[in-house]
């Protein structure tokens, strides 16, 4: 999988389940940064969520495939599924750089996820490996006007007022990007499923059908 596009976006997530907010973010960032492809990278064993037991990896992968079907921009990426142990983004970026030596990498993160970046494994390496695109998250009062680089990488970055973002010495940017997107979270989808409320408008019909067929998140089969 993962052939060689020149400008490669990476949207990582637990995707428990994938929803239309994820897809809207991927598409908006791709349009704004002229990306050839966006990998939907399943974080199979997220180290930051020991308190939450997600749906089985195989089912989250199947839902991602359903969500990405028919959209040439989006590609499901299973690198972290095939790797043993916790899913560290820095390892995945290194692997992607090996697989796609000619590609420029753009890691796409919602501001909520980026707020935790200093707790990730080896945060100093991240802006060396890729551009960091931090999106607003519809419904959240998060400011993406001047996104700072990871603390550990501050010695290697400088703010460039002419472009309005931080530049890493590698040439990569750390930049905030406001999106229109969709106000939805996976927790809200799970909550609605458990209450028997409709979710098609938040997940699309194929993922909603899958959730009910497999009785995920407390769903009863239709
Ligand atoms: P949960 O509600 O379980 O925390 P989530 O909806 O945040 O899940 P994740 O799979 O954890 O989904 O998110 C993956 C990435 O997508 C993160 O960078 C997150 O910030 C981003 N993201 C999630 N929902 C949206 C949204 N509605 N708009 C923009 N970005 C989003």
């Amino acid at each position: 999988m993962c052939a060689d596009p020149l400008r490669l976006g990476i949207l990582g997530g637990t995707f428990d389940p994938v929803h239309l907010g994820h897809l809207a973010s991927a598409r908006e960032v791709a349009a704004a940064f002229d990306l050839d492809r966006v990998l939907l990278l399943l974080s199979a064993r997220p180290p930051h969520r020991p308190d939450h037991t997600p749906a089985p990896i195989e089912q989250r992968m199947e839902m991602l495939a359903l969500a990405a079907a028919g959209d040439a921009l989006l590609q499901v990426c299973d690198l972290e599924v095939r790797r043993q142990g916790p899913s560290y983004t820095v390892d995945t970026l290194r692997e992607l750089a090996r697989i796609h030596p000619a590609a420029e990498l753009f890691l796409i993160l919602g501001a909520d996820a980026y707020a935790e970046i200093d707790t990730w494994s080896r945060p100093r390496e991240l802006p060396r490996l890729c551009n960091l695109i931090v999106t607003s998250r519809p419904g959240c009062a998060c400011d993406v006007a001047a996104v700072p680089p990871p603390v550990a990488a501050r010695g290697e970055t400088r703010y460039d007022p002419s472009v309005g973002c931080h530049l890493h010495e590698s040439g990569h940017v750390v930049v905030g990007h406001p999106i229109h997107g969709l106000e939805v979270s996976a927790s809200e989808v799970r909550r609605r499923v458990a209450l028997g409320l409709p979710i098609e408008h938040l997940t699309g019909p194929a993922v909603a059908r899958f959730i009910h067929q497999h009785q995920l998140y407390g769903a009863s089969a239709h």
Side-chain angles (χ1 to χ4, degrees), residues 6 17 26 36 40 45 54 61 102 106 125 134 137 160 164 167-168 171 174 176 180-181 206 208 211 215:
L6 193 59
D36 299 299
L40 301 176
R45 289 164 286 274
M61 281 296 283
F106 296 76
E125 293 181 37
V134 182
R137 182 130 180 200
D160 183 339
L167 289 179
H168 187 264
V174 180
H180 297 292
I211 288 172
Q215 297 180 30

Side-chain angles (χ1 to χ4, degrees), residues 9-177:
I10 303 140
L11 175 62
T14 314
F15 298 121
D16 189 31
V18 60
H19 52 65
L20 298 181
H22 296 128
L23 306 187
S25 172
R27 291 181 182 128
E28 281 192 51
V29 172
F33 291 86
D34 203 17
L35 305 185
D36 299 299
R37 186 174 303 174
V38 178
L39 302 181
L40 301 176
L41 171 78
L42 183 72
S43 177
R45 289 164 286 274
H48 289 94
R49 294 205 162 175
D51 53 327
H52 172 66
T53 306
I57 291 169
E58 299 71 27
Q59 295 187 329
R60 284 184 284 139
M61 281 296 283
E62 282 188 67
M63 290 190 279
L64 272 179
L66 289 170
D71 187 334
L73 174 73
L74 306 175
Q75 184 174 344
V76 179
C77 187
D78 65 355
L79 283 183
E80 293 188 356
V81 171
R82 288 190 274 123
R83 207 166 57 219
Q84 298 300 310
S87 311
Y88 292 125
T89 302
V90 65
D91 295 331
T92 307
L93 290 167
R94 287 197 172 285
E95 209 170 337
L96 284 170
R98 261 198 312 275
I99 298 170
H100 305 279
E104 185 164 7
L105 305 181
F106 296 76
L107 185 66
I108 305 165
L109 296 153
D112 59 315
Y114 189 74
E116 297 178 2
I117 197 131
D118 294 314
T119 69
W120 291 18
S121 179
R122 289 158 284 153
R124 180 177 175 185
E125 293 181 37
L126 296 171
R128 182 169 295 285
L129 294 167
C130 66
N131 298 283
L132 294 169
I133 313 295
V134 182
T135 74
S136 55
R137 182 130 180 200
C140 294
C142 42
D143 183 14
V144 292
V147 173
V151 171
R154 291 203 180 153
E156 295 149 22
T157 54
R158 64 183 172 83
Y159 184 73
D160 183 339
S162 68
V163 281
C165 69
H166 286 83
L167 289 179
H168 187 264
E169 58 190 22
S170 63
H172 292 135
V173 295
V174 180
V175 64
H177 182 68

